[in-house]
Amino acid sequence: MDGLQGAVMEKRELAIITLKKDAGEVYSNQIKYFLGSNININLYSFEEDNLNLLHEKLIVLSVRLKYDEISAMCSNDTQIIIPNLTFEKSSVKKISKLDEHKKVFVYNLSKSMALETITIIHKLGINIQNFIPSYPGADNILPDSIVLSPGEEILIDCHNCKIIDLGYRIIDLGCIADIAIHLDLKHLIREDLLNKFIAKVVPTSYITEKLLLSQTRLENKFDFLLASIDEGLVCISEDKIVQFYSHAAREILDVNENGMTGKYIGDYIKSFDFRQLKKESANIQKVVRVKNIDINLDIRYADICGFRGFIIKLAKFYVSEKKQAKLRAQLMNSGNVSKYNFEDIVGCSESIMESKKIAYKMAQSNSSILIIGESGTGKELFAQSIHSASYRSEGPFVAVNCSTFQEGLLQSELFGYDEGAFTGAKKGGKIGLFEMANKGTIFLDEIGEMDLNSQASLLRVIQERQIRRVGSDKVVDLDIRIVAATNRDLKKLVCEGKFRKDLFYRLNVLPLKVSPLRERVDDLFLIFESFKKNLDANFILSDEVVDIFKRYNWDGNIRELSNLAEYFSYTGKDIIEVSDLPEYILESLEQRDPCEEIAKEEKSYDKFKFKRLISDYIFVLSKMNQAYNLKQRIGRKKIYEYALEEQVFLTEQQIRSILLELQEYELVKVLSGRGGSIVTEKGRSFLKEHGK
């Protein structure tokens, strides 16, 4: 019995021989992770010089050049394994982000070890050609270089270099399989541990890994599934590293077989931010652009058969599907989903930052909001962001465009109807959009297009917080927040008798102005770049086109800019020249009279680069001029009161910014303390020039 136990112990004893002691401990911990305490591991290193006659029958030797020396210390029946080494995926990610055209120094303890590290990196599919081996005594590292070091300290002077520590190389999966087979312990390699290894480590031997995985349910289920279906499927780990993908996915993304395995999925689908993908919210359907092709992404989290990660379904998005998606999007927008928040509003200009700041404060209240701005400025984006930032964010967000319904039909859509209410009414009646928005927000876009009868009904809803379906005598209580938007001058419509004055004041409790794109030149190219990213487009604009962008009027605002980005993506050009611009842009520029432009530039006051509409500055200056004539001082609070009385959409903070801007141009003088502000002679001349 004792002899049998001795044989078993001898059979399950392993020696690990490394150049440095620390590396041996890394390999030992990795093997124990899979084989546990069922194996006795003895560590030897050339650093400690503790190598004598070796009695172990299985040896893992990490230094290939020492094979003959170690072989002489062993008996004839000793098995020596030279392991394939690899890196953790976190280290591979660091390397893959490097510029493939730059020189990269790879530092190790010897030239052969540095070359071996470079070979491993190339095996992992990283195609940087300018790797240069470096080692103690080489002294070839240039200043300001990038240096990769696999867990070794840099022992030479390196001036202003970026040092990337890749950590110690680790044993590949094939070596662990060899150890398990030699020691008759392959039954200990459990499926869940195998999956963790695959999720963490980039394999260098695909064949060995496939043979090992074929013994598990994971291989049987996933590989059979991916090989037998014609749909584009990509399976990625929780850290977004590609594990498997089908032949259809390979064709859709135009990659080589196994080319994506072990790589970050965001390197192949750049128009979707996978960094924000979380399993709690992984139920995503989105159309993205990959290599100028529209791709439909359907992402789900999966925890099946030992696989934990995300399954991505890919499909090319054809014209017929686009039409269906457009209908679905319309239903969603009129259905109940808010998709955006303030972080989605791109821009750094003072006006957009101020609008976002004010809108966020408005979101915390329950009062009605009126968003004013030209078509295409992103009014619905603000409305959805307000809803997302409010305490109603968990409730529905229902959007309705008031201009799309004929007069008389809007009420039945907004308030619903009972069965038999009118000819053609559906059996059982229909719930209205206000009821659908209960406990949430209703967004009434293009409110200025609403007919007077519907305006009267809407006024009652705002006052009573109740609705009555068409054809019904029952009242339904509502808990709802109303956000309206318009691109028209509602005050002018009130004067013309086309919009109810009482409804205007009910809606205009919290006015929010969204500036047109022509007044936000600072945001123009930021927004354009975000559109390019969504389209996965790589073109750049020539200097001449950039100049035209700055001078163009952008009547269609952000919507027009988005259309232009998509148009450029289909040209196939790397650089967009003036000749690539649509004709309507060139024609709009040609219509300007150059003499008139020169005359405008010569006007003394046109040198002012105002950040808002000129009418806002004239309003503030005129109120200050009135106070000046009455020999009174006036401050921003009093100007704000005048703005409220005269329905000028300016906040107190906006008036403060205008005063500071006017002072910068010496048109007013802002006094300290409670002294208020006074208009200067230069400011009075400015008013006269503008007919005030």
Side-chain angles (χ1 to χ4, degrees):
M1 185 70 177
D2 291 340
L4 178 61
Q5 286 179 340
V8 171
M9 286 299 294
E10 185 179 34
K11 184 178 181 182
R12 296 192 176 183
E13 196 167 27
L14 172 69
I16 298 178
I17 303 175
T18 55
L19 198 63
K20 295 185 69 177
K21 177 184 176 182
D22 291 349
E25 291 175 349
V26 171
Y27 302 155
S28 175
N29 291 335
Q30 186 184 348
I31 294 168
K32 287 178 181 178
Y33 177 77
F34 284 93
L35 306 180
S37 59
N38 297 278
I39 181 171
N40 183 35
I41 300 177
N42 302 318
L43 300 181
Y44 303 93
S45 70
F46 289 93
E47 178 185 49
E48 293 181 304
D49 194 23
N50 60 350
L51 290 160
N52 296 305
L53 289 176
L54 300 168
H55 64 275
E56 296 87 356
K57 298 302 180 185
L58 184 63
I59 295 174
V60 173
L61 173 63
S62 70
V63 191
R64 190 181 299 272
L65 295 179
K66 299 288 186 178
Y67 181 87
D68 291 340
E69 182 180 336
I70 296 301
S71 181
M73 299 181 184
C74 306
S75 59
N76 293 333
D77 59 345
T78 298
Q79 295 285 327
I80 299 177
I81 298 174
I82 306 291
N84 283 327
L85 300 178
T86 184
F87 287 105
E88 291 192 0
K89 289 181 180 176
S90 58
S91 299
V92 176
K93 272 195 220 176
K94 295 177 184 177
I95 307 173
S96 63
K97 291 178 180 178
L98 299 177
D99 187 341
E100 62 182 17
H101 302 296
K102 287 189 176 181
K103 291 182 179 180
V104 178
F105 291 86
V106 179
Y107 183 87
N108 215 320
L109 296 178
S110 67
K111 183 177 182 179
S112 62
M113 293 180 73
L115 289 170
E116 184 180 10
T117 301
I118 293 172
T119 301
I120 292 171
I121 294 172
H122 281 146
K123 277 186 178 181
L124 297 176
I126 296 173
N127 296 319
I128 296 176
Q129 300 302 318
N130 296 324
F131 282 127
I132 301 172
S134 186
Y135 44 91
D139 294 334
N140 61 341
I141 300 177
L142 302 174
D144 304 313
S145 297
I146 296 173
V147 182
L148 303 181
S149 173
E152 310 294 350
E153 293 181 0
I154 298 297
L155 304 176
I156 61 173
D157 291 333
C158 182
H159 180 67
N160 200 31
C161 290
K162 181 181 180 181
I163 301 171
I164 301 175
D165 186 0
L166 302 176
Y168 281 115
R169 299 169 296 181
I170 56 180
I171 299 174
D172 187 53
L173 190 57
C175 178
I176 294 175
D178 286 344
I179 295 170
I181 292 169
H182 277 96
L183 299 182
D184 196 25
L185 294 172
K186 59 180 179 294
H187 61 282
L188 295 175
I189 303 180
R190 303 196 318 272
E191 184 180 343
D192 59 335
L193 294 177
L194 193 63
N195 294 332
K196 287 182 181 179
F197 183 92
I198 294 171
K200 189 177 182 182
V201 177
V202 180
T204 58
S205 175
Y206 182 72
I207 295 174
T208 303
E209 186 176 335
K210 295 290 282 186
L211 289 173
L212 186 59
L213 286 175
S214 66
Q215 301 176 19
T216 69
R217 290 179 301 155
L218 181 66
E219 167 70 10
N220 290 335
K221 289 180 182 291
F222 270 94
D223 265 18
F224 177 77
L225 176 67
L226 294 176
S228 61
I229 64 175
D230 291 326
E231 290 198 85
L233 288 183
V234 181
C235 303
I236 63 175
S237 60
E238 290 182 325
D239 58 354
K240 321 308 184 306
I241 302 300
V242 177
Q243 306 298 311
F244 319 94
Y245 53 99
S246 67
H247 67 93
R250 186 171 71 245
E251 292 173 3
I252 291 170
L253 297 176
D254 190 23
V255 294
N256 297 327
E257 185 174 1
N258 304 318
M260 287 199 304
T261 305
K263 309 289 181 60
Y264 174 56
I265 185 62
D267 293 339
Y268 297 89
I269 305 176
K270 299 177 181 178
S271 47
F272 182 81
D273 190 357
F274 287 92
R275 293 171 299 177
Q276 298 183 7
L277 184 61
K278 299 178 181 178
K279 68 179 183 179
E280 296 84 5
S281 57
N283 187 3
I284 296 170
Q285 288 183 318
K286 189 175 181 67
V287 178
V288 299
R289 200 160 174 78
V290 179
K291 297 183 178 179
N292 280 333
I293 297 174
D294 289 329
I295 302 293
N296 184 44
L297 286 187
D298 190 338
I299 306 176
R300 299 287 187 274
Y301 182 79
D303 185 355
I304 53 174
C305 304
F307 172 81
R308 294 184 182 89
F310 303 90
I311 297 178
I312 306 171
K313 181 180 175 182
L314 304 171
K316 290 185 179 179
F317 207 65
Y318 297 106
V319 175
S320 60
E321 291 173 306
K322 285 186 177 182
K323 290 179 180 177
Q324 293 179 22
K326 188 174 181 180
L327 292 173
R328 287 195 296 270
Q330 288 173 353
L331 288 173
M332 181 179 290
N333 286 336
S334 64
N336 23 358
V337 180
S338 171
K339 299 179 292 182
Y340 301 106
N341 54 51
F342 286 112
E343 293 178 359
D344 296 308
I345 301 175
V346 179
C348 63
S349 65
E350 185 177 342
S351 64
I352 202 66
M353 296 301 290
E354 181 71 15
S355 295
K356 286 170 68 172
K357 181 180 177 182
I358 293 170
Y360 181 80
K361 291 180 179 179
M362 290 179 175
Q364 313 313 310
S365 77
N366 198 40
S367 301
S368 299
I369 296 175
L370 180 62
I371 305 176
I372 305 141
E374 296 179 8
S375 293
T377 50
K379 297 188 290 295
E380 182 167 354
L381 188 59
F382 267 94
Q384 292 198 30
S385 301
I386 288 169
H387 173 77
S388 298
S390 72
Y391 71 88
R392 296 178 179 273
S393 58
E394 297 299 319
F397 176 87
V398 177
V400 55
N401 191 320
C402 299
S403 66
T404 59
F405 296 100
Q406 296 178 1
E407 186 172 347
L409 292 179
L410 184 59
Q411 290 189 57
S412 62
E413 291 296 324
L414 290 178
F415 311 128
Y417 55 82
D418 275 358
E419 182 177 343
F422 49 83
T423 303
K426 289 182 180 180
K427 187 176 181 180
K430 180 181 178 181
I431 188 172
L433 296 173
F434 269 91
E435 282 187 74
M436 290 174 62
N438 201 23
K439 303 295 183 182
T441 302
I442 188 166
F443 174 54
L444 302 175
D445 199 9
E446 306 295 353
I447 190 73
E449 309 301 325
M450 183 179 284
D451 64 90
L452 289 170
N453 289 332
S454 298
Q455 290 178 33
S457 300
L458 176 60
L459 180 63
R460 285 194 296 272
V461 172
I462 297 174
Q463 291 173 333
E464 306 297 333
R465 297 292 166 174
Q466 293 177 330
I467 61 108
R468 181 183 286 109
R469 291 187 183 184
V470 176
S472 174
D473 57 358
K474 294 182 180 178
V475 171
V476 179
D477 292 325
L478 291 177
D479 175 12
I480 199 168
R481 208 266 182 82
I482 296 174
V483 178
T486 183
N487 62 358
R488 302 187 65 181
D489 185 345
L490 291 189
K491 192 173 181 183
K492 183 179 178 183
L493 292 180
V494 169
C495 296
E496 295 172 353
K498 297 178 181 178
F499 201 87
R500 293 181 63 102
K501 186 176 182 180
D502 44 8
L503 177 59
F504 171 71
Y505 288 115
R506 283 286 185 179
L507 293 173
N508 196 42
V509 178
L510 300 176
L512 175 67
K513 184 177 179 181
V514 182
S515 300
L517 193 56
R518 74 185 70 88
E519 296 177 14
R520 297 166 48 194
V521 179
D522 293 344
D523 299 338
L524 177 62
F525 296 101
L526 278 177
I527 298 170
F528 191 70
E529 286 302 315
S530 72
F531 290 145
K532 280 177 55 181
K533 182 179 178 182
N534 291 336
L535 293 165
D536 193 22
N538 297 315
F539 63 81
I540 60 173
L541 304 177
S542 68
D543 292 342
E544 293 81 1
V545 173
V546 168
D547 181 60
I548 289 173
F549 267 42
K550 292 178 180 178
R551 292 188 289 117
Y552 184 59
N553 203 47
W554 298 110
D555 291 329
N557 290 293
I558 296 170
R559 190 179 295 120
E560 183 180 6
L561 187 65
S562 172
N563 293 343
L564 201 57
E566 186 170 2
Y567 170 77
F568 289 152
S569 73
Y570 284 108
T571 63
K573 299 285 189 70
D574 293 329
I575 301 176
I576 303 299
E577 304 288 355
V578 174
S579 59
D580 299 315
L581 290 170
E583 287 187 12
Y584 72 87
I585 291 182
L586 297 174
E587 289 172 356
S588 70
L589 294 171
E590 290 170 0
Q591 288 171 1
R592 296 185 181 182
D593 184 350
C595 296
E596 183 182 336
E597 293 296 318
I598 293 171
K600 282 185 178 179
E601 288 178 5
E602 290 176 349
K603 281 188 177 182
S604 60
Y605 292 111
D606 278 354
K607 64 184 178 181
F608 302 136
K609 304 298 182 183
F610 289 132
K611 299 175 182 177
R612 303 178 57 85
L613 289 173
I614 189 68
S615 58
D616 293 340
Y617 298 90
I618 291 173
F619 172 80
V620 172
L621 279 172
S622 63
K623 295 304 173 189
M624 296 180 69
N625 194 42
Q626 289 174 17
Y628 179 86
N629 292 332
L630 296 172
K631 303 188 182 307
Q632 296 174 349
R633 295 284 172 85
I634 189 172
R636 66 174 184 269
K637 290 185 181 295
K638 188 63 178 177
I639 297 173
Y640 176 61
E641 291 175 8
Y642 286 134
L644 288 176
E645 290 174 8
E646 299 182 26
Q647 296 301 307
V648 175
F649 304 122
L650 287 173
T651 65
E652 189 174 337
Q653 182 61 34
Q654 289 171 333
I655 292 170
R656 180 178 180 275
S657 299
I658 289 171
L659 286 171
L660 292 174
E661 202 174 338
L662 290 171
Q663 179 174 245
E664 184 181 344
Y665 291 119
E666 300 179 345
L667 300 179
V668 304
K669 185 175 182 181
V670 179
L671 304 177
S672 60
R674 298 181 178 273
S677 303
I678 57 173
V679 64
T680 64
E681 284 302 318
K682 197 173 181 180
R684 290 163 64 82
S685 298
F686 179 91
L687 283 173
K688 287 179 182 178
E689 183 171 307
H690 287 81
K692 299 294 181 181

